[in-house]
Amino acid sequence: MPRGWPGGGTDGGRGGSCRRGCGGGCRRAARRCCGASWAKAIHKYRETERLHWSQESREILQRVRDVAFPPQVPQLAQVHVLDLDKTGYIKPHIDSVKFCGCTIAGLSLLSPSVMRLVSEQNPRDCLDLLLERRSLYILRGPARYEFTHEILKDEESFFDGQKIPRERRISIICRNLPLPPS
């Protein structure tokens, strides 16, 4: 997706700026399923699910859906809105397949943040993503099922050796429906 999003941000289809490997600084945490009410993975946050949006917001969400999901893939109608406090963070987790399908697409709003992906099989295999304000990230395939993802705490929020100051962060998250049990 090489075109720009509101505010001039682009992600080139990569979900922000990428840096391969985290050196020796990667920590491994226990796998958690999604949602603080289930696993206490999210700290200092508010969340809701929205079905109704303004016309302008619907157009933006449709652009996200068009990029993130193949045609004919059934999507969850409600959009998850996660409002993370400046001091909030999201622990490493893999979203439960009971609640969402093979793709997670999120718009990062208000503040840049660093998302870390860590392989479940090899914790030394990790990737930090710089999620700029108004950027889009898409998790699918191995990134969806084989890597935990987390939003780093403000004091841990570094990318390529530079501090990425965190403020309040809102993410707008679209998901497709879980696959029926086989």
Side-chain angles (χ1 to χ4, degrees):
M1 183 192 76
R3 60 186 177 265
W5 288 86
T10 63
D11 76 346
R14 298 177 316 237
S17 302
C18 301
R19 178 175 56 84
R20 189 80 187 141
C22 306
C26 276
R27 299 179 311 286
R28 190 68 187 100
R31 179 177 164 177
R32 304 282 186 164
C33 61
C34 91
S37 59
W38 301 308
K40 299 188 189 219
I42 309 172
H43 295 269
K44 295 212 173 178
Y45 73 100
R46 294 182 299 177
E47 67 182 341
T48 189
E49 298 211 332
R50 296 217 27 201
L51 187 56
H52 303 288
W53 297 85
S54 71
Q55 179 61 35
E56 181 180 23
S57 295
R58 281 195 307 271
E59 290 171 7
I60 292 169
L61 287 170
Q62 189 58 53
R63 288 173 56 198
V64 168
R65 292 176 187 277
D66 289 346
V67 168
F69 303 101
Q72 317 310 330
V73 170
Q75 299 166 35
L76 291 167
Q78 291 192 328
V79 176
H80 186 198
V81 180
L82 181 62
D83 182 347
L84 197 60
D85 186 80
K86 175 183 173 39
T87 60
Y89 59 97
I90 303 174
K91 288 182 178 180
H93 68 285
I94 295 176
D95 291 77
S96 173
V97 295
K98 293 179 186 178
F99 304 105
C100 54
C102 62
T103 302
I104 300 167
L107 281 174
S108 294
L109 305 175
L110 299 184
S111 173
S113 59
V114 177
M115 176 183 278
R116 178 167 290 160
L117 304 178
V118 178
S119 169
E120 284 278 277
Q121 293 182 359
N122 179 7
R124 297 180 67 88
D125 187 11
C126 56
L127 174 72
D128 281 350
L129 302 171
L130 176 58
L131 301 179
E132 297 280 5
R133 183 175 168 257
R134 298 182 176 177
S135 67
L136 172 66
Y137 67 88
I138 300 171
L139 299 177
R140 68 165 67 102
R144 162 70 177 95
Y145 294 110
E146 299 172 20
F147 286 73
T148 62
H149 61 279
E150 66 182 298
I151 296 294
L152 301 181
K153 297 176 183 179
D154 181 55
E155 60 269 17
E156 299 171 354
S157 188
F158 287 85
F159 185 80
D160 277 343
Q162 293 203 22
K163 174 73 172 128
I164 306 300
R166 272 262 324 277
E167 296 295 329
R168 178 178 168 217
R169 174 183 184 261
I170 293 179
S171 55
I172 310 296
I173 304 164
C174 298
R175 297 180 169 107
N176 63 315
L177 289 169
L179 298 173
S182 51

